[in-house]
Amino acid sequence: MMAEYLTALAAVLAAPFLGGILMGLDRVVSARLQSRQGPPLVQPFYDILKLFAKRRMAANTFQMISVSVYLASMVLSLALLVMGQDLLVLLFILALGNIMLILGGFSVKSPYSQLGSQREVIVLLAYEPLLVCMVVGTYILTGSFSAASVFGLERPLALSMPAFVITQTLVMAMKLHKSPFDVSASHHAHQELVRGIYTEFSGPQMAVIELAHLYELVLLLGFIVLFWHTNLVVGIVLALACHAAVIVLDNVSARMTTRWMFGFTWSVGLALAAANLAALYATGPLPR
Amino acid sequence: MGLIDIARSKSPWILHFDAGACNGCDIEILACLTPVYDVERFGIINIGNPKHADVLLVTGTVNKRSARVLRNLYDQMPDPKAVVAIGACALSGGVFHECYNVLGGVDSVLPVDVYVPGCAPKPEAIIEGVVMALGKMQEREHARKRGAA
Ligand code: SF4
C-alpha cells in the first residue's frame, strides 16, 4: 500500500513537468506545421510563472474556489489512475472538476464567459458518454471497474478495444480544446468570443487553470497508456502517437459548431463505442 | 534577475486595440505574427483578452468614442502592465490631429511607456517597442517592490 502511495506522489509531482514539456512540444510542432519557428520548449512554464506573479483581480471569490477544485480534481484523478483505483469514481471526480470550472465561468455576468460556459457544458455532454462507455468496456473484460484489474490482464486492452483508442483520442481533442472541437475556448490564443470560458479568469486564477491543464494532459495520455499496460514503452509510444494525431487534427481542421460536435460524437463516436462493446459482450471476459 | 522576472520577459501577452487607425499600423502588427517575423519565438501571443494581457498595443488616434473603450480595456488589465503607442497617429494624432473629434495621441488618455514612430512602423520596430516596454514594466515593478520594502 505504501509503495502505491509513493508512486502516486511521484506521478503527481512529475506530471506538471512532463505535461509542460509536452505542451511546449505541441506549440513548437504546431508552429512548424505553420512554417514558423515557434516558442521555446519550456514556454508553458514561463506562462504559468508569469500568470502566478500577476496581481489578483478577481470578479468574485468563487472564481478562485472553482479553479482550485478544478486543479484538485485533476491531481486526484491522476493519483487514482496511478494507484489503480475505481475508474468510475475517477470519472465522477473528473466531471466534478469540470463542472466547478463551468460554474466559475457562469459566476461572472460577462456574456463572453456565460456563452463560453454554456458551450463547455455541451462539450462535457459530448465526451462524457464516450468515457463512460470505455469504462463499461473494461468492466465487461475484467468484471470490475478498478484500473488495477486492467493492470492484471495478460493481453493489452487495445487489442480487445481498438475503437476506444480512437474515441479516447477524440475525447483528448475535446478536453484539450483543440480544433475542430474548440467551441467553448481555444487551446491556442485564437479568439473564440474573446477567450470563451476563460475570459474572466485572470492572473493567478488563469495560472491554476493552466497548471490543471498540464495534469489533464498527462491524465488523458495515462488513459491511453492503460490500453497497452503490458509493455509500458509501447503504451507510451501509443499515447504520444494519439497526442500527435490530435495536434495534426488541430492544425488541419477548422473550428466547427457545437451542434456539429455534439452530432458527431453522439453518432460516429458512440457508434464506434457501441460496436466495440457488442464485440466485447460476444467474446466475454478475458483470462487474467 | 529572479525566476519571475525571466518568466515575465519571456511571456508577454499582447492586447491590440485600434483606437481609430487607418488600419496601416494594424496590418503591421498582424505581420509580426506571420512566419516571417513569428513573434511567438519570444513567447509573444496576441491574446485578445484584456484580463490575460500584459502589454497593450494601441494604434490610431484617440477620439471621443474610443477614449472610453481604451480606458476600460486598460483598467481591465491586471498589473504589472505596459502600454505601447504605435504609429504617428497614436503618438500625436498624426495626420488626423486637427479633426473635430480627435483628442490626440494615446497619452491624452493613458500613461504610455513606449512610443513607436512611423507611418506605419515596421514590424521590427513594433517588436523592439514591446521589448522596451517589458524593460520599463520590470523597472516599475522593482521600484514598487523597493518602495514597499
Ligand atoms: S500612423 Fe499612418 S499607418 Fe498608422 S494609423 Fe496613422 S495613418 Fe495609418
Side-chain angles (χ1 to χ4, degrees), chain A residues 18-41:
Chain A
L18 189 66
I21 294 292
L22 285 171
M23 278 296 187
L25 207 61
D26 172 350
R27 283 179 66 175
V28 173
V29 171
S30 297
R32 293 290 158 89
L33 285 175
Q34 299 159 11
S35 59
R36 294 185 291 115
Q37 193 188 333
L41 198 58

PDB file of all heavy atoms in Angstrom, chain A residues 18-41:
ATOM      1  N   LEU A  18       6.294  16.947 -16.952  1.00  0.00           N
ATOM      2  CA  LEU A  18       6.050  16.161 -18.164  1.00  0.00           C
ATOM      3  C   LEU A  18       5.008  16.869 -19.035  1.00  0.00           C
ATOM      4  O   LEU A  18       5.208  17.061 -20.245  1.00  0.00           O
ATOM      5  CB  LEU A  18       5.546  14.781 -17.745  1.00  0.00           C
ATOM      6  CG  LEU A  18       5.421  13.747 -18.832  1.00  0.00           C
ATOM      7  CD1 LEU A  18       6.805  13.418 -19.343  1.00  0.00           C
ATOM      8  CD2 LEU A  18       4.742  12.500 -18.298  1.00  0.00           C
ATOM      9  N   GLY A  19       3.904  17.273 -18.407  1.00  0.00           N
ATOM     10  CA  GLY A  19       2.825  17.937 -19.148  1.00  0.00           C
ATOM     11  C   GLY A  19       3.312  19.227 -19.793  1.00  0.00           C
ATOM     12  O   GLY A  19       2.978  19.518 -20.936  1.00  0.00           O
ATOM     13  N   GLY A  20       4.145  19.982 -19.055  1.00  0.00           N
ATOM     14  CA  GLY A  20       4.646  21.248 -19.584  1.00  0.00           C
ATOM     15  C   GLY A  20       5.494  21.041 -20.816  1.00  0.00           C
ATOM     16  O   GLY A  20       5.366  21.762 -21.811  1.00  0.00           O
ATOM     17  N   ILE A  21       6.370  20.024 -20.760  1.00  0.00           N
ATOM     18  CA  ILE A  21       7.231  19.749 -21.918  1.00  0.00           C
ATOM     19  C   ILE A  21       6.367  19.318 -23.109  1.00  0.00           C
ATOM     20  O   ILE A  21       6.586  19.768 -24.242  1.00  0.00           O
ATOM     21  CB  ILE A  21       8.262  18.643 -21.563  1.00  0.00           C
ATOM     22  CG1 ILE A  21       9.230  19.134 -20.489  1.00  0.00           C
ATOM     23  CG2 ILE A  21       9.025  18.197 -22.798  1.00  0.00           C
ATOM     24  CD1 ILE A  21      10.171  20.227 -20.938  1.00  0.00           C
ATOM     25  N   LEU A  22       5.368  18.471 -22.831  1.00  0.00           N
ATOM     26  CA  LEU A  22       4.506  18.013 -23.931  1.00  0.00           C
ATOM     27  C   LEU A  22       3.718  19.172 -24.537  1.00  0.00           C
ATOM     28  O   LEU A  22       3.561  19.268 -25.749  1.00  0.00           O
ATOM     29  CB  LEU A  22       3.549  16.930 -23.429  1.00  0.00           C
ATOM     30  CG  LEU A  22       4.196  15.571 -23.205  1.00  0.00           C
ATOM     31  CD1 LEU A  22       3.231  14.634 -22.498  1.00  0.00           C
ATOM     32  CD2 LEU A  22       4.630  14.969 -24.522  1.00  0.00           C
ATOM     33  N   MET A  23       3.233  20.080 -23.653  1.00  0.00           N
ATOM     34  CA  MET A  23       2.521  21.265 -24.146  1.00  0.00           C
ATOM     35  C   MET A  23       3.445  22.115 -24.999  1.00  0.00           C
ATOM     36  O   MET A  23       3.042  22.647 -26.040  1.00  0.00           O
ATOM     37  CB  MET A  23       2.072  22.150 -22.985  1.00  0.00           C
ATOM     38  CG  MET A  23       0.822  21.803 -22.280  1.00  0.00           C
ATOM     39  SD  MET A  23      -0.677  21.874 -23.211  1.00  0.00           S
ATOM     40  CE  MET A  23      -1.819  21.588 -21.889  1.00  0.00           C
ATOM     41  N   GLY A  24       4.697  22.278 -24.512  1.00  0.00           N
ATOM     42  CA  GLY A  24       5.671  23.074 -25.259  1.00  0.00           C
ATOM     43  C   GLY A  24       5.928  22.451 -26.614  1.00  0.00           C
ATOM     44  O   GLY A  24       5.972  23.135 -27.636  1.00  0.00           O
ATOM     45  N   LEU A  25       6.058  21.112 -26.615  1.00  0.00           N
ATOM     46  CA  LEU A  25       6.281  20.375 -27.859  1.00  0.00           C
ATOM     47  C   LEU A  25       5.108  20.603 -28.806  1.00  0.00           C
ATOM     48  O   LEU A  25       5.290  20.827 -30.003  1.00  0.00           O
ATOM     49  CB  LEU A  25       6.409  18.891 -27.531  1.00  0.00           C
ATOM     50  CG  LEU A  25       7.231  18.055 -28.492  1.00  0.00           C
ATOM     51  CD1 LEU A  25       8.656  18.574 -28.539  1.00  0.00           C
ATOM     52  CD2 LEU A  25       7.210  16.601 -28.071  1.00  0.00           C
ATOM     53  N   ASP A  26       3.924  20.563 -28.239  1.00  0.00           N
ATOM     54  CA  ASP A  26       2.707  20.813 -29.010  1.00  0.00           C
ATOM     55  C   ASP A  26       2.793  22.167 -29.713  1.00  0.00           C
ATOM     56  O   ASP A  26       2.544  22.294 -30.912  1.00  0.00           O
ATOM     57  CB  ASP A  26       1.520  20.752 -28.039  1.00  0.00           C
ATOM     58  CG  ASP A  26       0.194  21.173 -28.662  1.00  0.00           C
ATOM     59  OD1 ASP A  26       0.207  21.690 -29.781  1.00  0.00           O
ATOM     60  OD2 ASP A  26      -0.847  20.991 -28.015  1.00  0.00           O
ATOM     61  N   ARG A  27       3.217  23.190 -28.943  1.00  0.00           N
ATOM     62  CA  ARG A  27       3.272  24.535 -29.534  1.00  0.00           C
ATOM     63  C   ARG A  27       4.349  24.630 -30.594  1.00  0.00           C
ATOM     64  O   ARG A  27       4.164  25.287 -31.621  1.00  0.00           O
ATOM     65  CB  ARG A  27       3.488  25.574 -28.436  1.00  0.00           C
ATOM     66  CG  ARG A  27       2.194  25.827 -27.685  1.00  0.00           C
ATOM     67  CD  ARG A  27       2.340  26.822 -26.575  1.00  0.00           C
ATOM     68  NE  ARG A  27       2.637  28.157 -27.043  1.00  0.00           N
ATOM     69  CZ  ARG A  27       2.708  29.217 -26.258  1.00  0.00           C
ATOM     70  NH1 ARG A  27       2.477  29.081 -24.967  1.00  0.00           N
ATOM     71  NH2 ARG A  27       2.992  30.395 -26.731  1.00  0.00           N
ATOM     72  N   VAL A  28       5.493  23.960 -30.350  1.00  0.00           N
ATOM     73  CA  VAL A  28       6.568  24.002 -31.352  1.00  0.00           C
ATOM     74  C   VAL A  28       6.108  23.290 -32.619  1.00  0.00           C
ATOM     75  O   VAL A  28       6.254  23.812 -33.735  1.00  0.00           O
ATOM     76  CB  VAL A  28       7.849  23.349 -30.795  1.00  0.00           C
ATOM     77  CG1 VAL A  28       8.898  23.250 -31.888  1.00  0.00           C
ATOM     78  CG2 VAL A  28       8.385  24.163 -29.635  1.00  0.00           C
ATOM     79  N   VAL A  29       5.503  22.100 -32.448  1.00  0.00           N
ATOM     80  CA  VAL A  29       5.069  21.329 -33.619  1.00  0.00           C
ATOM     81  C   VAL A  29       4.005  22.112 -34.395  1.00  0.00           C
ATOM     82  O   VAL A  29       4.063  22.213 -35.622  1.00  0.00           O
ATOM     83  CB  VAL A  29       4.531  19.949 -33.187  1.00  0.00           C
ATOM     84  CG1 VAL A  29       3.876  19.240 -34.355  1.00  0.00           C
ATOM     85  CG2 VAL A  29       5.659  19.101 -32.632  1.00  0.00           C
ATOM     86  N   SER A  30       3.052  22.711 -33.665  1.00  0.00           N
ATOM     87  CA  SER A  30       2.014  23.497 -34.339  1.00  0.00           C
ATOM     88  C   SER A  30       2.646  24.634 -35.128  1.00  0.00           C
ATOM     89  O   SER A  30       2.262  24.899 -36.268  1.00  0.00           O
ATOM     90  CB  SER A  30       1.031  24.073 -33.324  1.00  0.00           C
ATOM     91  OG  SER A  30       0.362  23.043 -32.667  1.00  0.00           O
ATOM     92  N   ALA A  31       3.639  25.307 -34.518  1.00  0.00           N
ATOM     93  CA  ALA A  31       4.295  26.419 -35.206  1.00  0.00           C
ATOM     94  C   ALA A  31       5.003  25.911 -36.458  1.00  0.00           C
ATOM     95  O   ALA A  31       4.917  26.527 -37.521  1.00  0.00           O
ATOM     96  CB  ALA A  31       5.285  27.107 -34.273  1.00  0.00           C
ATOM     97  N   ARG A  32       5.697  24.763 -36.343  1.00  0.00           N
ATOM     98  CA  ARG A  32       6.416  24.229 -37.504  1.00  0.00           C
ATOM     99  C   ARG A  32       5.445  23.862 -38.609  1.00  0.00           C
ATOM    100  O   ARG A  32       5.735  24.063 -39.787  1.00  0.00           O
ATOM    101  CB  ARG A  32       7.238  22.991 -37.106  1.00  0.00           C
ATOM    102  CG  ARG A  32       8.374  23.288 -36.170  1.00  0.00           C
ATOM    103  CD  ARG A  32       9.491  24.065 -36.873  1.00  0.00           C
ATOM    104  NE  ARG A  32      10.294  24.781 -35.903  1.00  0.00           N
ATOM    105  CZ  ARG A  32      11.366  24.279 -35.303  1.00  0.00           C
ATOM    106  NH1 ARG A  32      11.768  23.075 -35.610  1.00  0.00           N
ATOM    107  NH2 ARG A  32      12.024  24.980 -34.413  1.00  0.00           N
ATOM    108  N   LEU A  33       4.278  23.338 -38.233  1.00  0.00           N
ATOM    109  CA  LEU A  33       3.289  22.993 -39.252  1.00  0.00           C
ATOM    110  C   LEU A  33       2.806  24.245 -39.977  1.00  0.00           C
ATOM    111  O   LEU A  33       2.312  24.175 -41.089  1.00  0.00           O
ATOM    112  CB  LEU A  33       2.096  22.263 -38.619  1.00  0.00           C
ATOM    113  CG  LEU A  33       2.347  20.814 -38.216  1.00  0.00           C
ATOM    114  CD1 LEU A  33       1.152  20.239 -37.486  1.00  0.00           C
ATOM    115  CD2 LEU A  33       2.650  19.972 -39.432  1.00  0.00           C
ATOM    116  N   GLN A  34       2.935  25.414 -39.307  1.00  0.00           N
ATOM    117  CA  GLN A  34       2.547  26.667 -39.959  1.00  0.00           C
ATOM    118  C   GLN A  34       3.781  27.392 -40.485  1.00  0.00           C
ATOM    119  O   GLN A  34       3.762  28.603 -40.667  1.00  0.00           O
ATOM    120  CB  GLN A  34       1.813  27.559 -38.944  1.00  0.00           C
ATOM    121  CG  GLN A  34       0.548  26.936 -38.420  1.00  0.00           C
ATOM    122  CD  GLN A  34       0.090  27.533 -37.096  1.00  0.00           C
ATOM    123  OE1 GLN A  34       0.593  28.548 -36.647  1.00  0.00           O
ATOM    124  NE2 GLN A  34      -0.876  26.892 -36.461  1.00  0.00           N
ATOM    125  N   SER A  35       4.859  26.654 -40.678  1.00  0.00           N
ATOM    126  CA  SER A  35       6.184  27.153 -41.095  1.00  0.00           C
ATOM    127  C   SER A  35       6.650  28.359 -40.288  1.00  0.00           C
ATOM    128  O   SER A  35       7.157  29.324 -40.833  1.00  0.00           O
ATOM    129  CB  SER A  35       6.259  27.400 -42.601  1.00  0.00           C
ATOM    130  OG  SER A  35       5.308  28.332 -43.022  1.00  0.00           O
ATOM    131  N   ARG A  36       6.461  28.274 -38.983  1.00  0.00           N
ATOM    132  CA  ARG A  36       7.045  29.246 -38.056  1.00  0.00           C
ATOM    133  C   ARG A  36       8.042  28.514 -37.179  1.00  0.00           C
ATOM    134  O   ARG A  36       8.049  27.290 -37.117  1.00  0.00           O
ATOM    135  CB  ARG A  36       5.958  29.867 -37.163  1.00  0.00           C
ATOM    136  CG  ARG A  36       4.968  30.705 -37.923  1.00  0.00           C
ATOM    137  CD  ARG A  36       3.995  31.405 -36.995  1.00  0.00           C
ATOM    138  NE  ARG A  36       3.063  30.512 -36.337  1.00  0.00           N
ATOM    139  CZ  ARG A  36       3.011  30.283 -35.037  1.00  0.00           C
ATOM    140  NH1 ARG A  36       3.862  30.891 -34.235  1.00  0.00           N
ATOM    141  NH2 ARG A  36       2.125  29.469 -34.531  1.00  0.00           N
ATOM    142  N   GLN A  37       8.864  29.300 -36.470  1.00  0.00           N
ATOM    143  CA  GLN A  37       9.851  28.652 -35.609  1.00  0.00           C
ATOM    144  C   GLN A  37       9.230  28.190 -34.289  1.00  0.00           C
ATOM    145  O   GLN A  37       9.559  27.133 -33.790  1.00  0.00           O
ATOM    146  CB  GLN A  37      10.995  29.623 -35.331  1.00  0.00           C
ATOM    147  CG  GLN A  37      12.190  28.941 -34.720  1.00  0.00           C
ATOM    148  CD  GLN A  37      13.230  29.936 -34.281  1.00  0.00           C
ATOM    149  OE1 GLN A  37      13.327  31.035 -34.824  1.00  0.00           O
ATOM    150  NE2 GLN A  37      14.005  29.566 -33.284  1.00  0.00           N
ATOM    151  N   GLY A  38       8.340  28.988 -33.759  1.00  0.00           N
ATOM    152  CA  GLY A  38       7.661  28.604 -32.537  1.00  0.00           C
ATOM    153  C   GLY A  38       8.417  28.986 -31.284  1.00  0.00           C
ATOM    154  O   GLY A  38       9.581  29.345 -31.335  1.00  0.00           O
ATOM    155  N   PRO A  39       7.728  28.932 -30.125  1.00  0.00           N
ATOM    156  CA  PRO A  39       8.320  29.356 -28.862  1.00  0.00           C
ATOM    157  C   PRO A  39       9.316  28.327 -28.335  1.00  0.00           C
ATOM    158  O   PRO A  39       9.375  27.219 -28.856  1.00  0.00           O
ATOM    159  CB  PRO A  39       7.108  29.445 -27.937  1.00  0.00           C
ATOM    160  CG  PRO A  39       6.167  28.433 -28.476  1.00  0.00           C
ATOM    161  CD  PRO A  39       6.364  28.413 -29.949  1.00  0.00           C
ATOM    162  N   PRO A  40      10.087  28.684 -27.298  1.00  0.00           N
ATOM    163  CA  PRO A  40      10.964  27.683 -26.677  1.00  0.00           C
ATOM    164  C   PRO A  40      10.137  26.545 -26.083  1.00  0.00           C
ATOM    165  O   PRO A  40       8.950  26.721 -25.784  1.00  0.00           O
ATOM    166  CB  PRO A  40      11.693  28.458 -25.588  1.00  0.00           C
ATOM    167  CG  PRO A  40      11.169  29.831 -25.592  1.00  0.00           C
ATOM    168  CD  PRO A  40      10.233  30.003 -26.707  1.00  0.00           C
ATOM    169  N   LEU A  41      10.792  25.407 -25.899  1.00  0.00           N
ATOM    170  CA  LEU A  41      10.097  24.217 -25.402  1.00  0.00           C
ATOM    171  C   LEU A  41       9.485  24.452 -24.020  1.00  0.00           C
ATOM    172  O   LEU A  41       8.428  23.918 -23.692  1.00  0.00           O
ATOM    173  CB  LEU A  41      11.104  23.056 -25.343  1.00  0.00           C
ATOM    174  CG  LEU A  41      10.543  21.663 -25.276  1.00  0.00           C
ATOM    175  CD1 LEU A  41       9.660  21.392 -26.474  1.00  0.00           C
ATOM    176  CD2 LEU A  41      11.668  20.654 -25.220  1.00  0.00           C
TER     177      LEU A  41
END
